[in-house]
Amino acid sequence: MMPHTLLVPFDGSPLSKRALEYAVDEYDDVSLDVLHVIDPTDPGYSSVIDIDVRTEPLHGSDAWYDRAHEVEAQLFDEARELIGEIDGEVTTESAVGDPAREIVDYAEAHDIDEIVIGSHGRSETSRTLLGSVAELVVRRSPVSVSVVRGSETR
């Protein structure tokens, strides 16, 4: 059975872009749920660009969350551009919390058939097989998970 609704976690990293492109290229007639998670434990998590914490809003402040949501809106615009025209529906959703937990919780709550996730997020400093978020999602997911490796983008 082909999946009908795919969840693609998206943080703007090269591998999250690749996962999104893979979902669009490999599956026909599917709906995509693109999920961005703001991690309140990581001051720079909501941004894929290098930040200078001395000039950014105080971590956890209303201004910090406002900035995180601004970056998120830009990420969703980028995701929509990468997706282009597809036969199915595209939904963008956001969550605040631990990324792995939020991804799994979203899949459980939203009738997701499969998760397509990049093997690493923003940082590839570890050369392990999977990044910590992807590894936890694979272990805890109630649905199939496709892990996309390689950072080539269209």
Side-chain angles (χ1 to χ4, degrees):
M1 179 175 101
M2 292 293 291
H4 299 290
T5 304
L6 302 177
L7 172 60
V8 183
F10 190 77
D11 64 4
S13 66
L15 284 171
S16 73
K17 292 176 186 177
R18 182 65 199 118
L20 190 57
E21 291 170 341
Y22 175 87
V24 170
D25 292 344
E26 294 297 317
Y27 298 96
D28 293 324
D29 196 26
V30 296
S31 294
L32 295 176
D33 283 19
V34 179
L35 177 68
H36 178 255
V37 180
I38 297 171
D39 184 350
T41 65
D42 183 353
Y45 187 82
S46 62
S47 176
V48 295
I49 57 173
D50 290 330
I51 61 168
D52 182 351
V53 294
R54 297 171 295 176
T55 60
E56 289 295 309
L58 180 63
H59 176 69
S61 68
D62 288 343
W64 183 84
Y65 279 102
D66 290 345
R67 170 80 170 111
H69 287 295
E70 288 172 12
V71 170
E72 181 176 71
Q74 294 170 355
L75 289 174
F76 285 151
D77 287 344
E78 184 176 3
R80 285 184 198 95
E81 186 175 310
L82 286 170
I83 293 167
E85 295 294 323
I86 65 170
D87 291 333
E89 183 179 331
V90 176
T91 303
T92 55
E93 294 287 338
S94 64
V96 176
D98 173 74
R101 181 180 309 270
E102 294 297 327
I103 292 165
V104 170
D105 288 351
Y106 187 93
E108 290 174 341
H110 291 89
D111 198 26
I112 297 297
D113 296 309
E114 183 175 337
I115 298 171
V116 179
I117 189 170
S119 61
H120 291 82
R122 296 175 307 114
S123 172
E124 286 192 58
T125 56
S126 170
R127 293 294 177 202
T128 59
L129 177 62
L130 293 176
S132 59
V133 171
E135 180 179 357
L136 287 171
V137 169
V138 167
R139 279 203 247 162
R140 296 178 181 168
S141 176
V143 298
S144 297
V145 179
S146 292
V147 179
V148 177
R149 297 182 48 88
S151 58
E152 304 82 29
T153 57
R154 348 177 207 190

